[in-house]
Amino acid sequence: MLKDLTITEFLEKTASAEPLPGGGCTAALNAALAASLTEMVANLTIGRKEFQAVEDEMKEIAQTAAGLSKKLQNDIDDDARAYQEVLAAFKLPKNTDDEKKQRAGAIQKAFKNAATVPLGVARDALKIMDLASRAVAKGNQNAVTDGAVGVLVSRTAALAAIYNVKVNLSAIKDPDFVKELAREVEALESQVIEKEKQILDPLKI
Amino acid sequence: MLKDLTITEFLEKTASAEPLPGGGCTAALNAALAASLTEMVANLTIGRKEFQAVEDEMKEIAQTAAGLSKKLQNDIDDDARAYQEVLAAFKLPKNTDDEKKQRAGAIQKAFKNAATVPLGVARDALKIMDLASRAVAKGNQNAVTDGAVGVLVSRTAALAAIYNVKVNLSAIKDPDFVKELAREVEALESQVIEKEKQILDPLKI
């Protein structure tokens, strides 16, 4: 799996003239990174006398962030697999009318999945922004920069995932599906941009 | 070295209650990711008849991006090492006046290095934005989303690195050094934010 590659291997594979791993995988990886930075801020707070009042909240943040990081690590591969399925669908035979119909259906199904995977990443990245915001506001102030970086990274993870939803939507012919997802990513996009400002501006870093 | 860890190991190490790797390492990793995505767009363009007019430019972009990615992979460790040196300096003995003076000097030297490493990352991330911009504008349009993600990621890499410069500057007592770096990161910050808009808005993704 891609998450089992070393950093150097993953970067080399990204850089190569193969389309995978691409921007969608980067989005999932970035969301996982943001989750892990958030978990770190919580972990650097837990067990310290001066933060006893927020001990339970920090434990909950650490646990939720750890779960999201694990899920998002798998999304790196899910995103790659979804794109591979699109490519595979295009390679299906198209000699008869029946084959053409089946191929067209497989292509549409694959594009829908390729739009749905990054939509999940964008949703999770937004959740991570909220977790990071709480960790930064109430957690160990020595780690505030790490939490702030988590916010920046989750913002970019969400926007990158949204780009990948949009590019796949442009190939989907089901107007209801397109309308629903387009509406959701538009809302997510505004929330992400607004939230980044709301969290980071008051920190005055 | 950190770049030799698997993605999962790196994320677990980030999430742990150890301060390293932290936000500074994430900044360098993100800049390397952006460089690799940019290299991919160029590599997906090179050797294609329809892009023969930009073949040489794409080769130059691929080569420059590859060099930056390699450099930035080492910056992941350099950033961690710089912070470890700060911690080590604080642990120096301070029993005599002479020891106190030496310790204070070592702390200041370590903080200066800890500010300089992420400054280099921020400068490189800005270079990558320019490379990604050219790759997106002139390269294989099938990879435009990957290039656009590269722009998002280099923006966040630069801002994350700038946060790390600033947090270290706040501990440095040499006013000329602080003034010079503060001025540079302020200029970099505006350029990065402006450039992201300039490159991504016209793409209308």
Side-chain angles (χ1 to χ4, degrees):
Chain A
M1 290 181 76
L2 290 167
K3 68 179 180 179
D4 299 319
L5 297 180
T6 67
I7 301 280
T8 297
E9 287 167 347
F10 184 86
L11 291 169
E12 279 172 2
K13 236 177 141 62
T14 297
S16 81
E18 295 296 321
L20 291 172
C25 299
T26 297
L29 170 56
N30 258 349
L33 261 171
S36 293
L37 281 167
T38 304
E39 192 187 343
M40 178 178 87
V41 179
N43 280 333
L44 284 167
T45 309
I46 293 165
R48 295 188 187 229
K49 253 195 198 154
E50 65 271 42
F51 293 106
Q52 212 154 15
V54 293
E55 176 92 2
D56 288 346
E57 183 171 358
M58 289 296 146
K59 281 183 179 167
E60 179 235 313
I61 290 173
Q63 206 181 350
T64 310
L68 286 167
S69 176
K70 281 222 158 48
K71 187 179 164 204
L72 287 156
Q73 287 172 51
N74 291 326
D75 285 335
I76 303 173
D77 275 275
D78 288 349
D79 190 89
R81 205 175 302 119
Y83 185 73
Q84 277 160 342
E85 280 165 17
V86 171
L87 298 179
F90 271 106
K91 282 181 189 152
L92 288 174
K94 47 175 178 174
N95 302 311
T96 66
D97 279 356
D98 205 45
E99 281 180 354
K100 279 182 197 168
K101 206 179 149 187
Q102 280 197 355
R103 178 176 174 270
I107 290 170
Q108 285 299 304
K109 199 182 152 200
F111 270 124
K112 282 186 178 179
N113 186 42
T116 307
V117 172
L119 177 61
V121 172
R123 285 180 188 146
D124 285 339
L126 189 68
K127 285 183 203 159
I128 295 160
M129 288 187 98
D130 286 327
L131 289 175
S133 167
R134 286 161 60 202
V136 161
K138 302 179 189 173
N140 189 333
Q141 292 303 299
N142 290 331
V144 74
T145 313
D146 302 295
V149 170
V151 174
L152 289 171
V153 174
S154 48
R155 171 266 196 193
T156 276
L159 296 183
I162 288 168
Y163 280 7
N164 279 276
V165 177
K166 287 184 178 174
V167 77
N168 288 303
L169 283 186
S170 68
I172 296 172
K173 287 167 182 162
D174 173 348
D176 290 341
F177 183 92
V178 171
K179 206 171 159 185
E180 193 186 319
L181 266 69
R183 196 184 298 144
E184 182 171 350
V185 292
E186 207 177 314
L188 280 171
E189 199 169 355
S190 328
Q191 283 178 71
V192 164
I193 290 167
E194 186 55 34
K195 220 175 263 283
E196 188 195 42
K197 272 185 71 69
Q198 270 175 11
I199 303 169
L200 296 180
D201 284 357
L203 297 180
K204 299 192 189 302
I205 299 178
Chain B
M1 287 180 79
L2 290 166
K3 67 178 181 179
D4 299 319
L5 297 180
T6 68
I7 301 279
T8 298
E9 287 166 349
F10 184 85
L11 290 169
E12 280 172 2
K13 236 177 139 67
T14 297
S16 80
E18 295 294 322
L20 290 173
C25 299
T26 297
L29 169 56
N30 259 349
L33 261 171
S36 294
L37 281 167
T38 304
E39 191 186 343
M40 180 177 85
V41 180
N43 280 332
L44 284 167
T45 309
I46 293 165
R48 294 187 189 230
K49 251 194 198 154
E50 65 271 42
F51 293 106
Q52 212 153 15
V54 292
E55 176 91 5
D56 288 345
E57 183 170 1
M58 289 297 146
K59 282 184 180 166
E60 179 235 311
I61 290 173
Q63 205 181 351
T64 310
L68 285 167
S69 176
K70 282 224 160 48
K71 185 179 165 203
L72 287 156
Q73 286 172 51
N74 291 326
D75 284 335
I76 303 173
D77 274 275
D78 287 349
D79 190 89
R81 203 173 304 120
Y83 185 72
Q84 279 161 341
E85 279 164 18
V86 171
L87 297 179
F90 272 105
K91 283 181 190 152
L92 289 174
K94 46 176 178 175
N95 302 312
T96 65
D97 280 354
D98 205 43
E99 281 180 352
K100 280 181 196 168
K101 204 179 150 187
Q102 279 197 353
R103 179 176 173 270
I107 290 171
Q108 285 300 304
K109 198 181 153 199
F111 270 124
K112 282 187 177 178
N113 186 42
T116 306
V117 172
L119 177 61
V121 172
R123 284 179 188 148
D124 285 339
L126 188 69
K127 285 182 203 160
I128 295 161
M129 289 187 97
D130 286 327
L131 289 175
S133 168
R134 286 162 59 201
V136 161
K138 302 181 190 172
N140 189 333
Q141 291 304 297
N142 290 331
V144 73
T145 313
D146 302 296
V149 171
V151 173
L152 289 171
V153 174
S154 48
R155 170 266 195 193
T156 277
L159 296 184
I162 287 168
Y163 280 8
N164 280 275
V165 176
K166 286 184 178 173
V167 78
N168 287 304
L169 282 188
S170 67
I172 296 172
K173 288 167 182 163
D174 172 348
D176 290 340
F177 183 91
V178 172
K179 206 170 159 186
E180 192 186 319
L181 266 70
R183 195 185 299 145
E184 181 170 351
V185 292
E186 208 177 314
L188 280 171
E189 199 169 356
S190 328
Q191 284 179 70
V192 164
I193 290 167
E194 185 55 34
K195 220 176 263 283
E196 188 195 42
K197 271 185 72 67
Q198 269 175 11
I199 303 170
L200 295 180
D201 285 356
L203 297 180
K204 301 194 188 301
I205 299 179

mmCIF file with all atom_site columns, all heavy atoms in Angstrom, chain A residues 138-161:
data_model
loop_
_atom_site.group_PDB
_atom_site.id
_atom_site.type_symbol
_atom_site.label_atom_id
_atom_site.label_alt_id
_atom_site.label_comp_id
_atom_site.label_asym_id
_atom_site.label_entity_id
_atom_site.label_seq_id
_atom_site.pdbx_PDB_ins_code
_atom_site.Cartn_x
_atom_site.Cartn_y
_atom_site.Cartn_z
_atom_site.occupancy
_atom_site.B_iso_or_equiv
_atom_site.pdbx_formal_charge
_atom_site.auth_seq_id
_atom_site.auth_comp_id
_atom_site.auth_asym_id
_atom_site.auth_atom_id
_atom_site.pdbx_PDB_model_num
ATOM 1   N N   . LYS A 1 138 ? -7.060  25.542 23.488 1.00 0.00 ? 138 LYS A N   1
ATOM 2   C CA  . LYS A 1 138 ? -7.070  25.106 24.894 1.00 0.00 ? 138 LYS A CA  1
ATOM 3   C C   . LYS A 1 138 ? -5.861  24.279 25.307 1.00 0.00 ? 138 LYS A C   1
ATOM 4   O O   . LYS A 1 138 ? -5.680  23.998 26.480 1.00 0.00 ? 138 LYS A O   1
ATOM 5   C CB  . LYS A 1 138 ? -8.344  24.273 25.159 1.00 0.00 ? 138 LYS A CB  1
ATOM 6   C CG  . LYS A 1 138 ? -9.635  25.019 24.863 1.00 0.00 ? 138 LYS A CG  1
ATOM 7   C CD  . LYS A 1 138 ? -10.832 24.103 25.145 1.00 0.00 ? 138 LYS A CD  1
ATOM 8   C CE  . LYS A 1 138 ? -12.132 24.718 24.651 1.00 0.00 ? 138 LYS A CE  1
ATOM 9   N NZ  . LYS A 1 138 ? -13.260 23.777 24.767 1.00 0.00 ? 138 LYS A NZ  1
ATOM 10  N N   . GLY A 1 139 ? -5.051  23.845 24.333 1.00 0.00 ? 139 GLY A N   1
ATOM 11  C CA  . GLY A 1 139 ? -3.957  22.927 24.627 1.00 0.00 ? 139 GLY A CA  1
ATOM 12  C C   . GLY A 1 139 ? -2.662  23.628 25.000 1.00 0.00 ? 139 GLY A C   1
ATOM 13  O O   . GLY A 1 139 ? -2.622  24.854 25.174 1.00 0.00 ? 139 GLY A O   1
ATOM 14  N N   . ASN A 1 140 ? -1.615  22.824 25.097 1.00 0.00 ? 140 ASN A N   1
ATOM 15  C CA  . ASN A 1 140 ? -0.265  23.288 25.429 1.00 0.00 ? 140 ASN A CA  1
ATOM 16  C C   . ASN A 1 140 ? 0.178   24.371 24.444 1.00 0.00 ? 140 ASN A C   1
ATOM 17  O O   . ASN A 1 140 ? 0.314   24.134 23.252 1.00 0.00 ? 140 ASN A O   1
ATOM 18  C CB  . ASN A 1 140 ? 0.670   22.077 25.355 1.00 0.00 ? 140 ASN A CB  1
ATOM 19  C CG  . ASN A 1 140 ? 2.061   22.380 25.880 1.00 0.00 ? 140 ASN A CG  1
ATOM 20  O OD1 . ASN A 1 140 ? 2.517   23.514 25.848 1.00 0.00 ? 140 ASN A OD1 1
ATOM 21  N ND2 . ASN A 1 140 ? 2.718   21.345 26.376 1.00 0.00 ? 140 ASN A ND2 1
ATOM 22  N N   . GLN A 1 141 ? 0.406   25.573 24.994 1.00 0.00 ? 141 GLN A N   1
ATOM 23  C CA  . GLN A 1 141 ? 0.724   26.704 24.118 1.00 0.00 ? 141 GLN A CA  1
ATOM 24  C C   . GLN A 1 141 ? 2.123   26.605 23.487 1.00 0.00 ? 141 GLN A C   1
ATOM 25  O O   . GLN A 1 141 ? 2.420   27.300 22.519 1.00 0.00 ? 141 GLN A O   1
ATOM 26  C CB  . GLN A 1 141 ? 0.546   28.034 24.857 1.00 0.00 ? 141 GLN A CB  1
ATOM 27  C CG  . GLN A 1 141 ? -0.927  28.321 25.193 1.00 0.00 ? 141 GLN A CG  1
ATOM 28  C CD  . GLN A 1 141 ? -1.845  28.328 23.954 1.00 0.00 ? 141 GLN A CD  1
ATOM 29  O OE1 . GLN A 1 141 ? -1.678  29.127 23.054 1.00 0.00 ? 141 GLN A OE1 1
ATOM 30  N NE2 . GLN A 1 141 ? -2.800  27.392 23.883 1.00 0.00 ? 141 GLN A NE2 1
ATOM 31  N N   . ASN A 1 142 ? 2.975   25.706 24.027 1.00 0.00 ? 142 ASN A N   1
ATOM 32  C CA  . ASN A 1 142 ? 4.277   25.486 23.376 1.00 0.00 ? 142 ASN A CA  1
ATOM 33  C C   . ASN A 1 142 ? 4.123   24.842 22.010 1.00 0.00 ? 142 ASN A C   1
ATOM 34  O O   . ASN A 1 142 ? 5.040   24.875 21.195 1.00 0.00 ? 142 ASN A O   1
ATOM 35  C CB  . ASN A 1 142 ? 5.169   24.574 24.234 1.00 0.00 ? 142 ASN A CB  1
ATOM 36  C CG  . ASN A 1 142 ? 5.623   25.269 25.494 1.00 0.00 ? 142 ASN A CG  1
ATOM 37  O OD1 . ASN A 1 142 ? 5.765   26.493 25.516 1.00 0.00 ? 142 ASN A OD1 1
ATOM 38  N ND2 . ASN A 1 142 ? 5.834   24.494 26.551 1.00 0.00 ? 142 ASN A ND2 1
ATOM 39  N N   . ALA A 1 143 ? 2.965   24.210 21.788 1.00 0.00 ? 143 ALA A N   1
ATOM 40  C CA  . ALA A 1 143 ? 2.753   23.496 20.529 1.00 0.00 ? 143 ALA A CA  1
ATOM 41  C C   . ALA A 1 143 ? 1.782   24.241 19.615 1.00 0.00 ? 143 ALA A C   1
ATOM 42  O O   . ALA A 1 143 ? 1.282   23.680 18.643 1.00 0.00 ? 143 ALA A O   1
ATOM 43  C CB  . ALA A 1 143 ? 2.242   22.091 20.814 1.00 0.00 ? 143 ALA A CB  1
ATOM 44  N N   . VAL A 1 144 ? 1.554   25.520 19.916 1.00 0.00 ? 144 VAL A N   1
ATOM 45  C CA  . VAL A 1 144 ? 0.533   26.244 19.163 1.00 0.00 ? 144 VAL A CA  1
ATOM 46  C C   . VAL A 1 144 ? 0.906   26.358 17.666 1.00 0.00 ? 144 VAL A C   1
ATOM 47  O O   . VAL A 1 144 ? 0.035   26.275 16.797 1.00 0.00 ? 144 VAL A O   1
ATOM 48  C CB  . VAL A 1 144 ? 0.233   27.628 19.803 1.00 0.00 ? 144 VAL A CB  1
ATOM 49  C CG1 . VAL A 1 144 ? 1.350   28.621 19.553 1.00 0.00 ? 144 VAL A CG1 1
ATOM 50  C CG2 . VAL A 1 144 ? -1.089  28.186 19.325 1.00 0.00 ? 144 VAL A CG2 1
ATOM 51  N N   . THR A 1 145 ? 2.196   26.499 17.397 1.00 0.00 ? 145 THR A N   1
ATOM 52  C CA  . THR A 1 145 ? 2.606   26.590 15.988 1.00 0.00 ? 145 THR A CA  1
ATOM 53  C C   . THR A 1 145 ? 2.311   25.283 15.251 1.00 0.00 ? 145 THR A C   1
ATOM 54  O O   . THR A 1 145 ? 1.889   25.301 14.090 1.00 0.00 ? 145 THR A O   1
ATOM 55  C CB  . THR A 1 145 ? 4.122   26.897 15.868 1.00 0.00 ? 145 THR A CB  1
ATOM 56  O OG1 . THR A 1 145 ? 4.432   27.957 16.757 1.00 0.00 ? 145 THR A OG1 1
ATOM 57  C CG2 . THR A 1 145 ? 4.496   27.298 14.457 1.00 0.00 ? 145 THR A CG2 1
ATOM 58  N N   . ASP A 1 146 ? 2.533   24.158 15.927 1.00 0.00 ? 146 ASP A N   1
ATOM 59  C CA  . ASP A 1 146 ? 2.246   22.859 15.303 1.00 0.00 ? 146 ASP A CA  1
ATOM 60  C C   . ASP A 1 146 ? 0.757   22.719 14.991 1.00 0.00 ? 146 ASP A C   1
ATOM 61  O O   . ASP A 1 146 ? 0.374   22.240 13.928 1.00 0.00 ? 146 ASP A O   1
ATOM 62  C CB  . ASP A 1 146 ? 2.705   21.718 16.223 1.00 0.00 ? 146 ASP A CB  1
ATOM 63  C CG  . ASP A 1 146 ? 4.180   21.818 16.547 1.00 0.00 ? 146 ASP A CG  1
ATOM 64  O OD1 . ASP A 1 146 ? 4.990   21.686 15.623 1.00 0.00 ? 146 ASP A OD1 1
ATOM 65  O OD2 . ASP A 1 146 ? 4.521   22.056 17.716 1.00 0.00 ? 146 ASP A OD2 1
ATOM 66  N N   . GLY A 1 147 ? -0.075  23.162 15.941 1.00 0.00 ? 147 GLY A N   1
ATOM 67  C CA  . GLY A 1 147 ? -1.519  23.115 15.718 1.00 0.00 ? 147 GLY A CA  1
ATOM 68  C C   . GLY A 1 147 ? -1.929  24.046 14.581 1.00 0.00 ? 147 GLY A C   1
ATOM 69  O O   . GLY A 1 147 ? -2.780  23.699 13.754 1.00 0.00 ? 147 GLY A O   1
ATOM 70  N N   . ALA A 1 148 ? -1.304  25.211 14.533 1.00 0.00 ? 148 ALA A N   1
ATOM 71  C CA  . ALA A 1 148 ? -1.607  26.169 13.463 1.00 0.00 ? 148 ALA A CA  1
ATOM 72  C C   . ALA A 1 148 ? -1.201  25.597 12.104 1.00 0.00 ? 148 ALA A C   1
ATOM 73  O O   . ALA A 1 148 ? -1.917  25.760 11.105 1.00 0.00 ? 148 ALA A O   1
ATOM 74  C CB  . ALA A 1 148 ? -0.879  27.488 13.733 1.00 0.00 ? 148 ALA A CB  1
ATOM 75  N N   . VAL A 1 149 ? -0.070  24.913 12.062 1.00 0.00 ? 149 VAL A N   1
ATOM 76  C CA  . VAL A 1 149 ? 0.340   24.253 10.815 1.00 0.00 ? 149 VAL A CA  1
ATOM 77  C C   . VAL A 1 149 ? -0.692  23.177 10.445 1.00 0.00 ? 149 VAL A C   1
ATOM 78  O O   . VAL A 1 149 ? -1.051  23.022 9.277  1.00 0.00 ? 149 VAL A O   1
ATOM 79  C CB  . VAL A 1 149 ? 1.761   23.653 10.927 1.00 0.00 ? 149 VAL A CB  1
ATOM 80  C CG1 . VAL A 1 149 ? 2.093   22.770 9.732  1.00 0.00 ? 149 VAL A CG1 1
ATOM 81  C CG2 . VAL A 1 149 ? 2.803   24.763 11.072 1.00 0.00 ? 149 VAL A CG2 1
ATOM 82  N N   . GLY A 1 150 ? -1.206  22.486 11.465 1.00 0.00 ? 150 GLY A N   1
ATOM 83  C CA  . GLY A 1 150 ? -2.272  21.507 11.216 1.00 0.00 ? 150 GLY A CA  1
ATOM 84  C C   . GLY A 1 150 ? -3.485  22.142 10.548 1.00 0.00 ? 150 GLY A C   1
ATOM 85  O O   . GLY A 1 150 ? -4.095  21.550 9.654  1.00 0.00 ? 150 GLY A O   1
ATOM 86  N N   . VAL A 1 151 ? -3.815  23.362 10.957 1.00 0.00 ? 151 VAL A N   1
ATOM 87  C CA  . VAL A 1 151 ? -4.949  24.073 10.352 1.00 0.00 ? 151 VAL A CA  1
ATOM 88  C C   . VAL A 1 151 ? -4.642  24.414 8.890  1.00 0.00 ? 151 VAL A C   1
ATOM 89  O O   . VAL A 1 151 ? -5.460  24.193 7.995  1.00 0.00 ? 151 VAL A O   1
ATOM 90  C CB  . VAL A 1 151 ? -5.285  25.354 11.157 1.00 0.00 ? 151 VAL A CB  1
ATOM 91  C CG1 . VAL A 1 151 ? -6.352  26.176 10.450 1.00 0.00 ? 151 VAL A CG1 1
ATOM 92  C CG2 . VAL A 1 151 ? -5.741  24.989 12.570 1.00 0.00 ? 151 VAL A CG2 1
ATOM 93  N N   . LEU A 1 152 ? -3.460  24.957 8.644  1.00 0.00 ? 152 LEU A N   1
ATOM 94  C CA  . LEU A 1 152 ? -3.058  25.281 7.255  1.00 0.00 ? 152 LEU A CA  1
ATOM 95  C C   . LEU A 1 152 ? -3.121  24.035 6.375  1.00 0.00 ? 152 LEU A C   1
ATOM 96  O O   . LEU A 1 152 ? -3.618  24.068 5.254  1.00 0.00 ? 152 LEU A O   1
ATOM 97  C CB  . LEU A 1 152 ? -1.608  25.800 7.219  1.00 0.00 ? 152 LEU A CB  1
ATOM 98  C CG  . LEU A 1 152 ? -1.275  27.176 7.788  1.00 0.00 ? 152 LEU A CG  1
ATOM 99  C CD1 . LEU A 1 152 ? 0.247   27.365 7.838  1.00 0.00 ? 152 LEU A CD1 1
ATOM 100 C CD2 . LEU A 1 152 ? -1.896  28.272 6.930  1.00 0.00 ? 152 LEU A CD2 1
ATOM 101 N N   . VAL A 1 153 ? -2.595  22.937 6.900  1.00 0.00 ? 153 VAL A N   1
ATOM 102 C CA  . VAL A 1 153 ? -2.484  21.713 6.103  1.00 0.00 ? 153 VAL A CA  1
ATOM 103 C C   . VAL A 1 153 ? -3.860  21.089 5.861  1.00 0.00 ? 153 VAL A C   1
ATOM 104 O O   . VAL A 1 153 ? -4.133  20.591 4.767  1.00 0.00 ? 153 VAL A O   1
ATOM 105 C CB  . VAL A 1 153 ? -1.514  20.716 6.778  1.00 0.00 ? 153 VAL A CB  1
ATOM 106 C CG1 . VAL A 1 153 ? -1.503  19.384 6.052  1.00 0.00 ? 153 VAL A CG1 1
ATOM 107 C CG2 . VAL A 1 153 ? -0.101  21.294 6.827  1.00 0.00 ? 153 VAL A CG2 1
ATOM 108 N N   . SER A 1 154 ? -4.750  21.167 6.869  1.00 0.00 ? 154 SER A N   1
ATOM 109 C CA  . SER A 1 154 ? -6.088  20.595 6.647  1.00 0.00 ? 154 SER A CA  1
ATOM 110 C C   . SER A 1 154 ? -6.869  21.458 5.664  1.00 0.00 ? 154 SER A C   1
ATOM 111 O O   . SER A 1 154 ? -7.665  20.934 4.869  1.00 0.00 ? 154 SER A O   1
ATOM 112 C CB  . SER A 1 154 ? -6.847  20.412 7.968  1.00 0.00 ? 154 SER A CB  1
ATOM 113 O OG  . SER A 1 154 ? -6.799  21.560 8.761  1.00 0.00 ? 154 SER A OG  1
ATOM 114 N N   . ARG A 1 155 ? -6.661  22.760 5.692  1.00 0.00 ? 155 ARG A N   1
ATOM 115 C CA  . ARG A 1 155 ? -7.296  23.650 4.685  1.00 0.00 ? 155 ARG A CA  1
ATOM 116 C C   . ARG A 1 155 ? -6.891  23.219 3.280  1.00 0.00 ? 155 ARG A C   1
ATOM 117 O O   . ARG A 1 155 ? -7.717  23.065 2.385  1.00 0.00 ? 155 ARG A O   1
ATOM 118 C CB  . ARG A 1 155 ? -6.872  25.095 4.968  1.00 0.00 ? 155 ARG A CB  1
ATOM 119 C CG  . ARG A 1 155 ? -7.273  26.118 3.905  1.00 0.00 ? 155 ARG A CG  1
ATOM 120 C CD  . ARG A 1 155 ? -6.157  26.324 2.895  1.00 0.00 ? 155 ARG A CD  1
ATOM 121 N NE  . ARG A 1 155 ? -6.344  27.524 2.098  1.00 0.00 ? 155 ARG A NE  1
ATOM 122 C CZ  . ARG A 1 155 ? -5.654  27.786 1.002  1.00 0.00 ? 155 ARG A CZ  1
ATOM 123 N NH1 . ARG A 1 155 ? -4.743  26.946 0.570  1.00 0.00 ? 155 ARG A NH1 1
ATOM 124 N NH2 . ARG A 1 155 ? -5.857  28.896 0.333  1.00 0.00 ? 155 ARG A NH2 1
ATOM 125 N N   . THR A 1 156 ? -5.586  23.021 3.099  1.00 0.00 ? 156 THR A N   1
ATOM 126 C CA  . THR A 1 156 ? -5.114  22.676 1.755  1.00 0.00 ? 156 THR A CA  1
ATOM 127 C C   . THR A 1 156 ? -5.546  21.261 1.377  1.00 0.00 ? 156 THR A C   1
ATOM 128 O O   . THR A 1 156 ? -5.875  20.994 0.216  1.00 0.00 ? 156 THR A O   1
ATOM 129 C CB  . THR A 1 156 ? -3.584  22.892 1.671  1.00 0.00 ? 156 THR A CB  1
ATOM 130 O OG1 . THR A 1 156 ? -3.369  24.275 1.383  1.00 0.00 ? 156 THR A OG1 1
ATOM 131 C CG2 . THR A 1 156 ? -2.938  22.054 0.601  1.00 0.00 ? 156 THR A CG2 1
ATOM 132 N N   . ALA A 1 157 ? -5.584  20.360 2.356  1.00 0.00 ? 157 ALA A N   1
ATOM 133 C CA  . ALA A 1 157 ? -6.080  19.002 2.083  1.00 0.00 ? 157 ALA A CA  1
ATOM 134 C C   . ALA A 1 157 ? -7.516  19.055 1.588  1.00 0.00 ? 157 ALA A C   1
ATOM 135 O O   . ALA A 1 157 ? -7.880  18.393 0.607  1.00 0.00 ? 157 ALA A O   1
ATOM 136 C CB  . ALA A 1 157 ? -5.983  18.152 3.354  1.00 0.00 ? 157 ALA A CB  1
ATOM 137 N N   . ALA A 1 158 ? -8.344  19.856 2.259  1.00 0.00 ? 158 ALA A N   1
ATOM 138 C CA  . ALA A 1 158 ? -9.754  19.966 1.869  1.00 0.00 ? 158 ALA A CA  1
ATOM 139 C C   . ALA A 1 158 ? -9.882  20.558 0.467  1.00 0.00 ? 158 ALA A C   1
ATOM 140 O O   . ALA A 1 158 ? -10.597 20.010 -0.382 1.00 0.00 ? 158 ALA A O   1
ATOM 141 C CB  . ALA A 1 158 ? -10.511 20.829 2.882  1.00 0.00 ? 158 ALA A CB  1
ATOM 142 N N   . LEU A 1 159 ? -9.178  21.651 0.203  1.00 0.00 ? 159 LEU A N   1
ATOM 143 C CA  . LEU A 1 159 ? -9.295  22.292 -1.118 1.00 0.00 ? 159 LEU A CA  1
ATOM 144 C C   . LEU A 1 159 ? -8.763  21.375 -2.227 1.00 0.00 ? 159 LEU A C   1
ATOM 145 O O   . LEU A 1 159 ? -9.341  21.301 -3.318 1.00 0.00 ? 159 LEU A O   1
ATOM 146 C CB  . LEU A 1 159 ? -8.564  23.639 -1.138 1.00 0.00 ? 159 LEU A CB  1
ATOM 147 C CG  . LEU A 1 159 ? -9.123  24.727 -0.210 1.00 0.00 ? 159 LEU A CG  1
ATOM 148 C CD1 . LEU A 1 159 ? -8.352  26.035 -0.397 1.00 0.00 ? 159 LEU A CD1 1
ATOM 149 C CD2 . LEU A 1 159 ? -10.615 24.962 -0.449 1.00 0.00 ? 159 LEU A CD2 1
ATOM 150 N N   . ALA A 1 160 ? -7.672  20.680 -1.940 1.00 0.00 ? 160 ALA A N   1
ATOM 151 C CA  . ALA A 1 160 ? -7.110  19.754 -2.932 1.00 0.00 ? 160 ALA A CA  1
ATOM 152 C C   . ALA A 1 160 ? -8.100  18.620 -3.216 1.00 0.00 ? 160 ALA A C   1
ATOM 153 O O   . ALA A 1 160 ? -8.296  18.225 -4.368 1.00 0.00 ? 160 ALA A O   1
ATOM 154 C CB  . ALA A 1 160 ? -5.771  19.195 -2.435 1.00 0.00 ? 160 ALA A CB  1
ATOM 155 N N   . ALA A 1 161 ? -8.734  18.117 -2.167 1.00 0.00 ? 161 ALA A N   1
ATOM 156 C CA  . ALA A 1 161 ? -9.729  17.053 -2.347 1.00 0.00 ? 161 ALA A CA  1
ATOM 157 C C   . ALA A 1 161 ? -10.917 17.586 -3.155 1.00 0.00 ? 161 ALA A C   1
ATOM 158 O O   . ALA A 1 161 ? -11.434 16.903 -4.045 1.00 0.00 ? 161 ALA A O   1
ATOM 159 C CB  . ALA A 1 161 ? -10.180 16.526 -0.986 1.00 0.00 ? 161 ALA A CB  1
#
